[in-house]
C-alpha cells in the first residue's frame, strides 16, 4: 500500500472509532441522563439511549409528514432498497411544498458515511506519523461539497431546503413532530416539555436521524462479495480479478488512488473513498433545470450551496469523492447525474482528454466545448493524474473497451448482500 493510502487509512480508522463513540458522549448541560442534552452516562445508559434514538430516527426517516408537502420522507430520495440512494435515473429529485422544485445535484447514497472525517481544508498524512508533511488538500465532510461534518448536521439540510423537504423553518418541522404517532417516544427520549422549546426539539430531531444513520446493519454492513473475498470466504471470477488489478494499477485505471480498495492496517474494511474533493470536469447536464441559465455554474466547494469558500478560485470545481460501494446500483453518476451507466462513467475517466469530442458538445464554430461545465479560469484545478495523465486528443486512451468492462465487473462485487437483485 502506498504511503498516501496508509496515511489515509490511519485517519479513517480514527474516524471510525470516533463514530462508534458518538453514542457514549453528550454535552454535560444537565445532570439527568435524559432530555435534549443529557450529562455523562454509564455505558449501559448510553447504549440504551442510542438504541432508543436509533428506533426514533428510523421512524422519522420514513415519515413523509416531516416535509412541507406531507408526501416526501428522507427515504423518498434515500431508498433503502437502493443502498439509501435514489431509485430513479433522474439527475436531480423534485421537492418543495408542492413537489415541483427541482434540486441542483444528484442524490448521494447515505451508506458508508460513518467513517468520514470532519472537513478540513488541509489534510496532512504521510507514511511516518511523526512527520505528517503531505498536504492532500480539502478532505472530509458530508454532501458533495463537504459542508456538513456529521449526520445530524447533514439531516438539517433536506428538512429546510426549499427544493427538498421544503419546511420554512425549524418550528414547522417541530409542529409536524408534535403531531406524529411517535411524539410520545420523542418526549420520552428528550423530555416531556421538549416541544415547548422548538430549537431544542429540532436539534433533538436531527440527532435522532444522525444516530439512526450510524446503524451498522442499515448503513455499513460490509456484506459485499468483495468483503467476503477479502475474508477468504468467496472467490472473484477471472474478469473480476483483472478488473481489480486495473482498478489498482497506477498506470491504468488508478482508481484506488482516490477510491481506496485495500483493508486498513488494523484490518478495517476498505471504504472505497479517500474523502477528498477533486475536479474532473463532468460534462454539463442540460437535464438539470438550473443549467438552463448559461450564467449558472455549480462549482462545488466554492459555491453556490457552500459559501465559506466563495471567491477561493483554487477550490472551484471540486466535488467530494464518493464511496464506490453499491455503485452498480446507481442509475445516474457524479454530482450532476450526467451519466446513466457505470460503464459510461468509467469510460469517461479513460478518454476525457484523449477523446473530448465523445463527451463534450460542440460550440457554434464546430470546436469541441471541452470542460463545458467548468469556466476556463478554473481549469488549473482539474485532476490530471492517471488515467487522465496529460493525454491529448488523438492519443491512445488509458483503458481499452475490454479493460473498462473488467473494471465494471469488479465494481459489481461491491454490492451489499441485502441489495443483491435490486
Amino acid at each position: 500500500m502506498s504511503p498516501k493510502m496508509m496515511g489515509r487509512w490511519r485517519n479513517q480508522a480514527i474516524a471510525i472509532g470516533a463514530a462508534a463513540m458518538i453514542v457514549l458522549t453528550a454535552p454535560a448541560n444537565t445532570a439527568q441522563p435524559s432530555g435534549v442534552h443529557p450529562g455523562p452516562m454509564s455505558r449501559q445508559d448510553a447504549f440504551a439511549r442510542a438504541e432508543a434514538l436509533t428506533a426514533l430516527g428510523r421512524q422519522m426517516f420514513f415519515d413523509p409528514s416531516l416535509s412541507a408537502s406531507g408526501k416526501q420522507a428522507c427515504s423518498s430520495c434515500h431508498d433503502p432498497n437502493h443502498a439509501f440512494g435514489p431509485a430513479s435515473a433522474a439527475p436531480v429529485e423534485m421537492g418543495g411544498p408542492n413537489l415541483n422544485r427541482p434540486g441542483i445535484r444528484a442524490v448521494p447514497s447515505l451508506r458508508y458515511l460513518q467513517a468520514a472525517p470532519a472537513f478540513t481544508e488541509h489534510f496532512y498524512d504521510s507514511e511516518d506519523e511523526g512527520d505528517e508533511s503531505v498536504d492532500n488538500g480539502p478532505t472530509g465532510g458530508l454532501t458533495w461539497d463537504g459542508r456538513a461534518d456529521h449526520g445530524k448536521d447533514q439531516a438539517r439540510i433536506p428538512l429546510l431546503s426549499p427544493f427538498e423537504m421544503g419546511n420554512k423553518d425549524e418550528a414547522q418541522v417541530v409542529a409536524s413532530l408534535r403531531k406524529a404517532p411517535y411524539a410520545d417516544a420523542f418526549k420520552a427520549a428528550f423530555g416531556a416539555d421538549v416541544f415547548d422549546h422548538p430549537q431544542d426539539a429540532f436539534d433533538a430531531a436531527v440527532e435522532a436521524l444522525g444516530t439512526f444513520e450510524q446503524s451498522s446493519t442499515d448503513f455499513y454492513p460490509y456484506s459485499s462479495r468483495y468483503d467476503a473475498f477479502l475474508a477468504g470466504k468467496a472467490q472473484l471470477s477471472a474478469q473480476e480479478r483483472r478488473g481489480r488489478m486495473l482498478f489498482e494499477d497506477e498506470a491504468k485505471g488508478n482508481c484506488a488512488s482516490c477510491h481506496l480498495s485495500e483493508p486498513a492496517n488494523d484490518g478495517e474494511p476498505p471504504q472505497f473513498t479517500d474523502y477528498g474533493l477533486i475536479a474532473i470536469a463532468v460534462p454539463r447536464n442540460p437535464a438539470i433545470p438550473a443549467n438552463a441559465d448559461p450564467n449558472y455554474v455549480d462549482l462545488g466547494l466554492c459555491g453556490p450551496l457552500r459559501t465559506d469558500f466563495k471567491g477561493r478560485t483554487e477550490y472551484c470545481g471540486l466535488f467530494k469523492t464518493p464511496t464506490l460501494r453499491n455503485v452498480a446500483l446507481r442509475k445516474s453518476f457524479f454530482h450532476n447525474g450526467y451519466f446513466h451507466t457505470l460503464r459510461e462513467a468509467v469510460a469517461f475517466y479513460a478518454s476525457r482528454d484523449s477523446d473530448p469530442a465523445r463527451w463534450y458538445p460542440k460550440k457554434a464554430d464546430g470546436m469541441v466545448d471541452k470542460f463545458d461545465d467548468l469556466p476556463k479560469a478554473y481549469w488549473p484545478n482539474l485532476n490530471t493524474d492517471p488515467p487522465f495523465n496529460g493525454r491529448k486528443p488523438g492519443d491512445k486512451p488509458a483503458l481499452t473497451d475490454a479493460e473498462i468492462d473488467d473494471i465494471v465487473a469488479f465494481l459489481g462485487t461491491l454490492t451489499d448482500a441485502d441489495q443483491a437483485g435490486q
Side-chain angles (χ1 to χ4, degrees):
M1 187 181 300
S2 70
K4 175 183 177 182
M5 294 171 69
M6 291 174 70
R8 294 282 192 193
W9 275 114
R10 279 194 296 272
N11 283 275
Q12 287 181 27
I14 292 170
I16 291 171
M21 292 177 65
I22 286 174
V23 299
L24 299 178
T25 60
N29 293 353
T30 72
Q32 292 78 31
S34 62
V36 177
H37 302 298
M41 292 177 282
S42 68
R43 181 175 293 271
Q44 181 179 358
D45 286 342
F47 277 107
R49 180 176 174 82
E51 185 176 355
L53 295 195
T54 297
L56 185 59
R58 186 188 301 276
Q59 289 179 285
M60 294 172 57
F61 192 88
F62 292 94
D63 184 359
S65 77
L66 298 185
S67 64
S69 67
K71 298 178 181 179
Q72 188 174 52
C74 302
S75 60
S76 299
C77 296
H78 298 286
D79 187 340
N81 292 320
H82 289 80
F84 289 92
S88 76
V92 296
E93 300 295 320
M94 304 296 287
N98 299 306
L99 295 181
N100 61 355
R101 294 281 304 273
I104 64 173
R105 291 177 185 161
V107 174
S109 169
L110 294 182
R111 272 202 170 172
Y112 297 101
L113 300 181
Q114 82 290 345
F119 176 84
T120 178
E121 185 177 356
H122 302 285
F123 182 85
Y124 293 95
D125 69 342
S126 70
E127 187 172 7
D128 179 3
E129 290 186 357
D131 178 25
E132 295 186 341
S133 58
V134 181
D135 183 0
N136 288 278
T139 300
L142 307 176
T143 74
W144 283 109
D145 54 22
R147 70 188 186 279
D149 281 340
H150 307 290
K152 64 181 181 180
D153 303 319
Q154 182 275 328
R156 294 173 181 270
I157 297 173
L159 285 168
L160 302 177
S161 168
F163 51 79
E164 295 183 72
M165 297 176 79
N167 292 288
K168 63 181 180 180
D169 54 27
E170 291 92 339
Q172 185 175 358
V173 177
V174 173
S176 298
L177 285 168
R178 188 189 292 268
K179 296 181 289 186
Y182 47 82
D184 287 343
F186 196 93
K187 289 189 287 186
F190 295 111
D193 64 344
V194 64
F195 292 128
D196 297 333
H197 308 280
Q199 188 60 59
D200 280 350
F202 184 79
D203 290 345
V206 296
E207 181 186 356
L209 286 167
T211 304
F212 168 56
E213 291 173 15
Q214 290 290 326
S215 165
S216 60
T217 302
D218 294 285
F219 290 96
Y220 49 107
Y222 296 112
S223 61
S224 72
R225 189 154 53 86
Y226 185 65
D227 290 304
F229 166 76
L230 291 176
K233 298 178 180 179
Q235 295 296 321
L236 302 184
S237 70
Q239 183 181 34
E240 292 163 350
R241 292 195 301 273
R242 292 196 304 270
R244 182 193 183 198
M245 292 179 62
L246 292 162
F247 186 94
E248 297 176 345
D249 188 336
E250 294 180 0
K252 296 294 290 184
N254 196 36
C255 315
S257 64
C258 293
H259 299 282
L260 310 186
S261 57
E262 294 291 337
N265 293 337
D266 63 359
E268 218 35 86
Q271 304 301 308
F272 280 88
T273 176
D274 64 357
Y275 304 105
L277 289 91
I278 66 170
I280 60 171
V282 177
R284 188 173 180 88
N285 192 346
I288 296 178
N291 284 341
D293 178 357
N295 296 314
Y296 172 82
V297 186
D298 187 354
L299 295 174
L301 186 54
C302 76
L305 296 181
R306 183 164 188 162
T307 58
D308 53 336
F309 288 108
K310 184 178 180 180
R312 296 287 297 276
T313 58
E314 71 270 31
Y315 293 148
C316 292
L318 274 63
F319 291 90
K320 183 82 174 290
T321 299
T323 178
L324 294 184
R325 286 179 171 275
N326 295 299
V327 69
L329 299 176
R330 293 192 67 88
K331 299 177 182 178
S332 61
F333 299 85
F334 299 109
H335 72 276
N336 65 0
Y338 181 82
F339 295 110
H340 292 285
T341 70
L342 184 53
R343 194 184 191 287
E344 280 185 313
V346 177
F348 170 70
Y349 279 96
S351 59
R352 182 195 73 181
D353 294 347
S354 63
D355 190 8
R358 178 178 176 183
W359 308 113
Y360 300 104
K362 289 185 177 180
K363 295 184 284 189
D365 61 4
M367 299 292 290
V368 176
D369 191 8
K370 189 170 64 172
F371 311 145
D372 66 327
D373 205 26
L374 185 68
K376 194 167 186 178
Y378 310 131
W379 287 11
N381 300 342
L382 284 171
N383 184 282
T384 56
D385 293 339
F388 305 126
N389 207 29
R391 284 180 166 78
K392 297 178 175 58
D395 288 350
K396 184 179 178 181
L399 299 165
T400 67
D401 286 345
E403 289 172 334
I404 291 170
D405 289 338
D406 291 346
I407 290 177
V408 171
F410 169 66
L411 293 174
T413 71
L414 306 183
T415 302
D416 286 320
D418 67 310
Q419 302 292 313
Q422 298 292 345

